[in-house]
Amino acid sequence: MAFPQTRMRRLRSSAGLRGLVRETDLRAGQLVLPLFVSSATDASAGAREPIAAMPGVERLALSAAVEEARLAAGLGLGAVMLFGIPAGKDEHGSGAWDEEGVVQLAVRAIRAEVPELLILTDVCLCEYTTHGHCGVLLEDGSVDNDATLELLARTAVSHARAGADMVAPSDMMDGRVRAIREELDAEGFGETPILAYAAKFASAFYGPFREAAGSTPAFGDRRGYQLDPANGREALREVLLDVQEGADMVMVKPALAYGDLISAVKRETRLPVAAYNVSGEYSMVKAAAAAGHVDERAIVLEILTSLRRAGADVLITYHAKDAARWLAAQS
Ligand code: PBG
């Protein structure tokens, strides 16, 4: 039956009816807050260093990271995800698996001070290598896939040993999920889950993150290992391979321009799906809001709801604290 018997507006005519038929929910517990933990000890820089392209996001010294974690727990966020900005870098990125490295120290500190909070760690080498690539290099400047696997696995184990609840490899090397799973199991961390950055695209939306983390490649780009934004089928193959290798959760990244993949991954796997609402997506909203062009609160909640509607169970977003406050004020 169509018009005039059917009138779609009937169920939209009051807040009560709209609430009753709302298909998608958004809760603070679904949100993950990324934290940039810096080993900078320079007192003059302070415990918090603003990131110009990401208003409201800061590089945090250890003490400030613990404060942020406490805030995240208080707001009921699902988890924090830690990124490290080490004091020094080398060709192999050895700071990544240093037991006294910045992420390892932060995990231990947060675990001790905010025991109820779930801690995820990003596993990659790009923040720790002098050249800024996500693995070790071959003579020709390309990333050596197989030699990198062992280093990623070592990094993941060091995070688990420090007390991370889940490790999230973001490097896009082939076989890393399997390598990490085997090493975690061998080292007694069989219960530590892996969130694979499974469909991670070579994206211009990561620009502000690279400024924040100091991880811009010194030469070339990441197209030799991250996905081509033009390729959806290939992205799905990547995801299914990560599932086969033992991923417990899979991620699509970036989020906003990749809703088709969020929904395809949700349909094609039976795993929880995470969407990473990345730095450039955050910066665009903040810049437009600061210019008075959009209503920040409304637009952020709409974006996050749309990612849930597309099929994401978990949302990794720099808006997490604000969104949690707005959601609490709504209810
Ligand atoms: C590290 C990593 C990146 C992001 C998450 N992990 C950067 C990259 O791949 O260049 C991007 C996150 C964001 O833009 O918010 N490999």
Side-chain angles (χ1 to χ4, degrees), residues 170-183:
S170 67
D171 52 284
M172 289 300 279
M173 296 302 121
D174 289 319
R176 80 273 165 73
V177 172
R178 190 176 100 174
I180 290 172
R181 182 73 273 154
E182 285 177 357
E183 194 73 6

Side-chain angles (χ1 to χ4, degrees), residues 49-70:
E49 193 188 342
I51 298 162
M54 303 176 73
V57 181
E58 299 159 314
R59 294 193 198 90
L60 307 164
L62 220 51
S63 58
V66 172
E67 283 170 23
E68 283 294 294
R70 197 170 282 127

Side-chain angles (χ1 to χ4, degrees), residues 4 60 64 87 96 127 130 142 148 160 182 197 203-204 220 230-231 253 277 282:
L60 307 164
E127 294 119 88
T130 40
S142 66
T148 299
E182 285 177 357
Y197 283 69
S203 171
N231 291 3
K253 176 182 172 203
N277 178 217
Y282 176 85

